[in-house]
Amino acid sequence: MSRRIRLAVVPAHRILAGRALALCFVCLVLAFVLIMLGLPLGEVLRLVITSTFGTVFGLENLALYMTPLLMTGGAVWLGLRAGLWNIGAEGQFLAGATAAAAVGLFLPLPAFVALPLAGLASLVAGALWSAVPAAGRAWLGVSEIITTLLLNFIASFMVYYLVTGPWADHVTDAQVSSQRIALAIPVIYGVVHWGGPFAIALVVALGLTLGRSRFGYELRLCGSNPEAAHYAGISVAPRLFVALLASGALAGLGGMMEVLGTVHRLQGGLAHGYGYLGIVVALLARHSALALIPAAFLMAVILNTGIVLQTLQVSASSVLAITGLLVFAIAVSDELSAYVRLETAK
């Protein structure tokens, strides 16, 4: 006889195998939909590969997409380590972008002074934007899911107000945008800036710090078993508060990289859903900070694929559909990977 049991700790090879099958399933479903739409599958595949990996423009796009995805993914991942769902990375991203834009627009300082100042301002702005949900969760038990989510809408409206009102571009009369910001992150090649390598280094440092430090251990314990942490003499509430502040700061720094490295303007729709896509990146990465890098790369490829599909008259919502299907397939595969068949004697 045999029966299925659920493993407490799932081996990495089972997770990887399950996710590979999930990705294949998503590709098959996408292929089926494209065929039903009457699109030549081979031609679509060729366009996706060549436009994404076969041109300088495509590779630059991947790098520019990966940078904010790494930052928002790292922000959400940090919160998850403490058992917190930071759904507000989008708002924290916009808060950081707004603070960095303010430095670039209104402080005529040399770049070597203004750039670090803009980075510091974005860190503080992102942290402050998450401070109220963090305090509510840490000391009052208020769900951070609701409070961080609602602050996303406030941040979005704040940006729209600024770029259509006091910060509106009166030089070129660009719609829903500030004037061009002269302060910029130095570029590496083409339009690819140093924010990308810095984001990768930050993610690696984050993984090493939380994986090998006392604070990282205490944070994981607070997230997985708050009662055990309390009995071990660990103050749970302050650590949850700091974790969510740090999470917001990371997302805010991502906003600075976007506004000073890629867009060079504060404008409506600046976040492009990066805060929400960061949740997907963090879920794909699971417990490994290093896994944020391939997860962000995969999401960047999906975003680039969405652009190609739009040129073929496929709805822009296709990216959301692909992302949603991917999350669903990954969730199912992770759950199924935890079960093994156990042979028992009669």
Side-chain angles (χ1 to χ4, degrees), residues 314-332:
V314 178
S315 170
S317 300
S318 59
V319 171
L320 292 177
I322 296 171
T323 304
L325 182 61
L326 178 63
V327 171
F328 171 75
I330 291 294
V332 172

Side-chain angles (χ1 to χ4, degrees), residues 56-57 59-60 63-64 186-194:
V56 173
F57 177 76
L59 293 173
E60 288 179 344
L64 294 180
V187 298
I188 303 172
Y189 177 83
V191 295
V192 180
H193 55 82
W194 280 101

